[in-house]
């Protein structure tokens, strides 16, 4: 075989098609394929390697091909570079490798800090939803010698109000059709929100209780899919939220590829997926699951696509507490366990979102929990420089 196609340890190589790159071969004897140059270097080889890396940007801009780009041999050999004296080449390589070593050390330190921050955030969220972040209302009431309303009493009162609202709405529908009820049998059609199965759920602090997400929200709905013609070119009256607008820190980022729909579409075919300020959104298609954001008051109303579910708070659980519940590891693990997973996608049903077990604190405890969690998490999110839109929290 021709020597020019043989590769030995220490040879300088450059891939000239698809992925452009320079490499010093560290493996055993090998043979080149058709997309790699072996560079016969007449200068200090490590310096030549760094020169190639420096020149790659210019080579890439001049590369040929719309699909698999490539650099021609003539273009490669004609690329001008500056060549310092040999001793200076050695000094440059020594300096570059010193900086790269320090960079590797700094990267390893940053990754370690990021892992610790991730564990810290998960710990704060878990403590928040387990009643360990602030003194409980039961503890404060005992210390102050007063009574307090446990979450179970609050929940029962809201469930009674929920049924009353349903009955009023049903009566209005029947009257609008001219069909006044003759008795109360129609009331039997009311469906109580499901109670969570407590078999595998942990014990809660005094004054807390378990409920399904359906019981503590006014509504839990998924979005709709507009036709291509219903999506407006440019800004419009109603913003249409997609999964890439959701982040993991509770914020909604509508600066990313903002999309809009008309009022007619919003109130017509997409009426069921209307959302408003204070609604809590989470993606139900991944990976990853776990993006959770709160709708802002930037627009009077918004709309969401089919890969998002919206949780509308009731008087049982505040927006801040629903946000914490959906961000926390226990809820994420429960939802993931109920999802359907294929090789490329994770799908979560809205019915699973409605059945999600939620630990409910007394109302007076909810605001301090949300405030303290926000204080602690805002520090962690400010310190961590990663893009939180792409990696979910884990417990």
């Amino acid at each position: 075989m021709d020597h020019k196609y043989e590769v030995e340890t220490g040879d300088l190589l450059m891939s000239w098609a698809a992925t452009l790159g320079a490499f010093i071969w560290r493996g055993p004897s090998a043979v080149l394929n058709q997309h790699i140059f072996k560079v016969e270097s007449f200068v200090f080889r490590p310096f030549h390697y760094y020169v190639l890396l420096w020149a790659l940007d210019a080579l890439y801009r001049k590369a040929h091909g719309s699909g698999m780009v490539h650099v021609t041999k003539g273009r490669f050999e004609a690329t001008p570079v500056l060549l310092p004296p040999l001793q200076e080449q050695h000094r440059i390589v020594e300096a570059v490798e010193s900086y790269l070593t320090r960079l590797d050390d700094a990267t390893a330190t940053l990754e370690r800090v990021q892992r610790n921050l991730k564990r810290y955030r998960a710990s704060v969220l878990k403590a928040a939803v387990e009643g360990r972040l602030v003194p409980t209302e039961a503890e404060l009431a005992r210390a102050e010698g007063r009574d307090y309303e446990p979450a179970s009493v609050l929940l029962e009162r809201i469930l009674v109000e929920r049924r009353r609202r349903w009955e009023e709405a049903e009566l209005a529908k029947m009257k609008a059709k001219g069909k006044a009820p003759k008795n109360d049998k129609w009331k039997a059609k009311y469906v109580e929100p499901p109670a969570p199965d407590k078999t595998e759920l942990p014990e809660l602090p005094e004054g807390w209780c378990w409920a399904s997400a359906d019981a503590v929200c006014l509504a839990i709905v998924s979005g709709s899919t507009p036709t291509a013609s219903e999506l407006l070119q440019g800004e419009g009256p109603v913003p249409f939220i997609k999964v890439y607008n959701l982040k993991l820190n509770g914020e909604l980022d509508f600066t990313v590829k903002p999309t809009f729909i008309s009022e007619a579409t919003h109130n017509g075919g997409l009426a069921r997926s209307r959302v408003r300020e204070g609604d809590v959104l989470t993606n139900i298609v991944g990976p990853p699951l776990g993006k959770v954001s709160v709708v802002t008051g930037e627009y009077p109303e918004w709309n969401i696509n089919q890969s998002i579910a919206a949780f509308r708070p009731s008087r049982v659980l505040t927006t801040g507490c629903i946000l914490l519940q959906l961000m926390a590891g226990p809820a994420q693990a429960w939802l993931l366990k109920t999802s359907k997973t294929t090789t490329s996608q994770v799908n979560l049903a809205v019915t699973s979102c409605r059945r999600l077990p939620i630990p409910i604190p007394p109302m007076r405890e909810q605001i301090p929990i949300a405030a303290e969690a926000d204080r602690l998490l805002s520090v962690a999110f400010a310190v961590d420089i990663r893009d939180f839109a792409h990696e979910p929290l884990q417990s």
Side-chain angles (χ1 to χ4, degrees), residues 215-382:
V216 300
C217 292
L218 294 176
I220 300 175
V221 299
S222 61
S224 305
T225 306
T227 63
S229 62
E230 290 175 325
L231 295 175
L232 302 180
Q233 299 297 320
E235 189 168 351
V238 181
F240 186 69
I241 301 170
K242 298 185 178 181
V243 172
Y244 51 66
N245 298 125
L246 308 185
K247 300 185 71 174
L248 293 167
N249 62 356
E251 295 180 358
L252 181 67
D253 185 3
F254 199 63
T255 63
V256 181
K257 302 177 185 176
T259 306
F260 294 85
I261 57 175
S262 68
E263 289 279 4
T265 301
H266 178 63
N267 295 316
L270 271 63
R272 75 176 180 86
S273 54
R274 292 177 295 189
V275 295
R276 64 193 186 201
E277 182 178 6
D279 289 351
V280 183
L281 311 179
T282 187
N283 64 309
I284 54 176
V285 176
L289 295 179
K291 293 185 175 185
V292 186
S293 302
V294 176
V295 179
T296 69
E298 183 181 354
Y299 292 86
E301 282 197 338
W302 307 64
N303 213 294
I304 56 175
N305 81 349
Q306 74 280 3
S307 299
I308 299 174
F311 293 69
R312 177 157 296 166
S314 68
R315 289 191 292 158
V316 182
L317 203 61
T318 63
T319 291
C321 280
I322 291 181
L323 175 69
L324 293 174
Q325 295 288 356
L326 292 178
M327 290 173 68
Q332 287 294 318
W334 190 93
L335 290 171
L336 184 61
K337 186 171 64 174
T338 63
S339 65
K340 294 183 179 179
T341 304
T342 65
T343 55
S344 60
Q345 189 166 281
V346 180
N347 293 281
L348 185 63
V350 178
T351 52
S352 295
C353 294
R354 292 171 180 155
R355 291 188 295 108
L356 173 67
I358 298 282
I360 311 300
M363 181 54 70
R364 288 185 60 174
E365 196 173 330
Q366 292 182 29
I367 294 176
I369 289 173
E372 180 64 4
D374 182 67
R375 184 185 72 82
L376 296 173
L377 292 174
S378 63
V379 173
F381 280 116

Side-chain angles (χ1 to χ4, degrees), residues 139-178:
E139 294 168 344
L140 292 175
R142 272 196 301 273
E144 297 168 6
R146 60 174 172 82
D147 293 330
Y148 76 99
E149 182 182 69
S152 57
V153 175
L154 170 65
L155 178 63
E156 185 60 35
R157 188 171 69 251
I158 296 301
L159 289 177
V160 171
E161 182 180 334
R162 174 192 174 116
R163 176 161 193 144
R164 178 186 59 78
R165 287 198 310 270
W166 179 86
E167 291 179 356
E168 289 178 352
E170 288 298 301
L171 274 174
K173 291 177 185 177
M174 287 187 282
K175 288 180 179 179
K177 295 178 181 179

Side-chain angles (χ1 to χ4, degrees), residues 2-17:
D2 193 324
H3 173 69
K4 67 181 181 181
Y5 298 120
E6 297 175 353
V7 180
E8 302 293 342
T9 298
D11 281 347
L12 181 57
L13 308 177
M14 179 174 171
S15 62
W16 58 270

Side-chain angles (χ1 to χ4, degrees), residues 82-198:
L82 297 174
L83 184 63
L86 181 59
Q87 290 185 345
E88 192 168 342
Q89 294 176 29
H90 283 266
R91 290 198 301 270
I92 290 172
V93 168
E94 183 179 349
V96 169
E97 292 184 345
S98 173
Y99 280 114
L100 291 177
T101 298
R102 287 151 60 185
L103 178 60
D104 289 342
D105 291 342
T107 300
T109 300
L110 177 60
E111 290 174 349
R112 184 167 61 251
V113 170
Q114 289 171 341
R115 289 193 298 271
N116 290 338
L117 284 170
K118 187 177 177 182
R119 286 192 289 267
Y120 168 76
R121 291 193 305 276
S123 177
V124 169
L125 289 168
K126 195 168 186 292
V129 301
E130 291 179 351
R132 297 182 288 106
L133 199 60
V134 299
T136 66
E137 181 65 8
E139 294 168 344
L140 292 175
R142 272 196 301 273
E144 297 168 6
R146 60 174 172 82
D147 293 330
Y148 76 99
E149 182 182 69
S152 57
V153 175
L154 170 65
L155 178 63
E156 185 60 35
R157 188 171 69 251
I158 296 301
L159 289 177
V160 171
E161 182 180 334
R162 174 192 174 116
R163 176 161 193 144
R164 178 186 59 78
R165 287 198 310 270
W166 179 86
E167 291 179 356
E168 289 178 352
E170 288 298 301
L171 274 174
K173 291 177 185 177
M174 287 187 282
K175 288 180 179 179
K177 295 178 181 179
K179 298 179 180 179
K182 297 178 181 180
N183 52 49
D184 288 343
K185 290 183 178 180
W186 61 274
K187 295 182 179 180
K189 296 179 181 179
Y190 177 73
V191 179
E192 292 282 355
D197 181 1
K198 301 178 183 178

Side-chain angles (χ1 to χ4, degrees), residues 187-215:
K187 295 182 179 180
K189 296 179 181 179
Y190 177 73
V191 179
E192 292 282 355
D197 181 1
K198 301 178 183 178
T199 307
E200 298 182 1
L201 298 178
E203 186 176 348
L204 294 175
E206 181 183 351
W208 289 45
C209 73
W210 284 103
S212 65
D214 198 24

